[in-house]
Amino acid sequence: MSYLIFQNANLIHSVDLNNLQILENKTVIINQDTGIIEKICNCIDEIGSDFLINNAKYYELKPNEFLMPGLVDTHCHAPQYFFTGTGLDLPLLEWLDKYTFPCESKFDDLNFAKKVYEKSVKSHLYCGTTTICFFGTIHLEATKLLADIVEKSGMRGFVGKVCMDRNSPDWYREETQQSLEDTRNFIDYVLSKKNPNLKPVVTPRFAPTCTSQLMSSLAKTSDSYNIPIQTHLSENVNEIKWVKELFSCDNYAAVYDTHGLLNDRTVLAHCIHLEDDELDLIKKRGAGVSHCPTSNTSLQSGIMAARKYLNKGLKIGLGTDVAGGFTPSIIQVIRECIGVSKLYKSLVKSDEEPISLSEAFFLATIGGAQLLGIENKIGNFSEGKEFDALLIDFKNIVDCNDDQSVFCHEYSLREVFEKFIYLGDDRNIKEIYVKGTRIV
């Protein structure tokens, strides 16, 4: 066996929603054959002889470095990277027609798809995302290509071929049976790779663009393969009105439930305008929410009542939702998550406490892992979990360029971490690990 051993390591991770744990000057031992964290101890002398083998790799952290878990992005549209940072002048439904559908329709061209997807995946990875849940397009071969690129990157990937058979332009719409056949084909393709870090996801775009036949059949497909489902829910008030015109169900969430799409494997993006009955239903079914605050503000969709949902006990992770969200960085989404919750308290409900930094970081790591059903594998540095981690160098945030600097010694590690979240970016991410293997 081979081991990766970090010495003098400062570790920052979440134990639970309200417990940001900081471990200083630890020794961390990772079995590189399995990727599992086998032991965290105070010093090298506590390591048994089993770990002191000739081919162990040692890394001694510098005073200006710390380790944190890799970030989890629970909702993103890989093809929309092409127009990220533009087209944010319209609300959701108009935005889809003017920008999104024309862009996504281009992905029948595999050369174009390859160029965009390689840049899309790289942009998320270099921002510290080690696990991501991607929407592709309706195109089978392009979505297979996306899965290939995610796999090659070394990231953990959940990838879905988008399904939509109505209420979209003729040039970007599927026939129902073809959508179902292509979905099964895609699932079989991904599963044939036998890569535990890559999973297919059943992906009805959202209820307005899917017939009842398509949604019911996709639910059966998900059940037969026992794989996740991802879709959108209650993102925009006009979207909700439209759903009520199209379906006879009591509410939007009930539409998915009636068609068998609401279960403990379901990731529901946005969920801004949920009624209390919907919250109860989602909780009962064990589904969860991908909170996308950057996109929610950019597309004028609204502010999700994150505190209310947490108090309800819902599973919640964070999502960039590129390109409704203008950044591939979950670190930026953490900031937005905190910021919009403060606005919610100020403008909507004064007795509702905003989301704290510790809570937002939990949502970006363990929360996302819970939502995707892999919290037993990743999310923090508990012994027995797989080592997905970022090595952070903060010397350009806190002046540590020389031994005489007063700043480097004036801040606690908790304060340094807070500065990194608010002031740091991809330039501070020195190394990236997934399952014990360095991928950047």
Side-chain angles (χ1 to χ4, degrees), residues 21 42 113 128 146 154 188 333 341 367 380 399:
Q21 186 177 62
N42 289 320
L146 173 58
D188 289 337
V333 176
S341 74
N380 63 13
D399 183 9

Side-chain angles (χ1 to χ4, degrees), residues 135-156:
F135 277 58
T137 64
I138 65 173
H139 308 103
L140 172 61
E141 295 305 321
T143 311
K144 288 181 179 179
L145 180 61
L146 173 58
D148 293 342
I149 292 168
V150 172
E151 181 179 42
K152 185 178 179 180
S153 76
M155 298 174 76
R156 297 180 192 269

Side-chain angles (χ1 to χ4, degrees), residues 43-231:
C43 63
I44 196 73
D45 294 337
E46 295 181 27
I47 300 176
S49 59
D50 290 342
F51 297 115
L52 299 177
I53 51 181
N54 292 331
N55 61 344
K57 299 176 183 177
Y58 291 86
Y59 188 110
E60 185 164 350
L61 268 68
K62 299 174 183 177
N64 54 278
E65 296 175 339
F66 65 82
L67 289 167
M68 59 178 267
L71 300 167
V72 181
D73 187 345
T74 59
H75 181 64
C76 183
H77 295 264
Q80 294 176 22
Y81 172 82
F82 182 71
F83 67 100
T84 305
T86 66
L88 297 176
D89 56 327
L90 294 172
L92 174 67
L93 299 180
E94 294 84 351
W95 178 80
L96 288 171
D97 287 334
K98 184 173 181 179
Y99 300 111
T100 303
F101 293 155
C103 171
E104 292 188 7
S105 69
K106 298 177 181 180
F107 282 73
D108 59 348
D109 180 343
L110 291 182
N111 289 327
F112 177 78
K114 183 174 186 294
K115 292 177 182 178
V116 175
Y117 282 154
E118 285 178 342
K119 291 181 179 179
S120 177
V121 170
K122 184 177 179 180
S123 73
H124 288 274
L125 175 59
Y126 278 55
C127 285
T129 296
T130 52
T131 299
I132 195 162
C133 193
F134 269 137
F135 277 58
T137 64
I138 65 173
H139 308 103
L140 172 61
E141 295 305 321
T143 311
K144 288 181 179 179
L145 180 61
L146 173 58
D148 293 342
I149 292 168
V150 172
E151 181 179 42
K152 185 178 179 180
S153 76
M155 298 174 76
R156 297 180 192 269
F158 292 71
V159 181
K161 188 206 78 67
V162 170
C163 300
M164 45 194 288
D165 63 346
R166 66 168 178 172
N167 291 328
S168 62
D170 292 342
W171 38 264
Y172 194 55
R173 185 192 310 159
E174 302 173 288
E175 295 296 327
T176 304
Q177 288 305 316
Q178 190 63 53
S179 180
L180 294 169
E181 289 175 15
D182 286 351
T183 295
R184 289 190 289 268
N185 188 321
F186 175 72
I187 293 168
D188 289 337
Y189 177 77
V190 174
L191 294 179
S192 71
K193 292 174 172 289
K194 300 186 184 302
N195 182 346
N197 290 346
L198 188 67
K199 293 185 179 181
V201 186
V202 168
T203 308
R205 183 175 211 113
F206 68 153
T209 58
C210 297
T211 61
S212 286
Q213 180 185 354
L214 179 60
M215 287 193 287
S216 295
S217 298
L218 288 173
K220 293 175 183 177
T221 298
S222 172
D223 289 341
S224 66
Y225 285 95
N226 191 33
I227 59 174
I229 298 164
Q230 61 178 346
T231 191

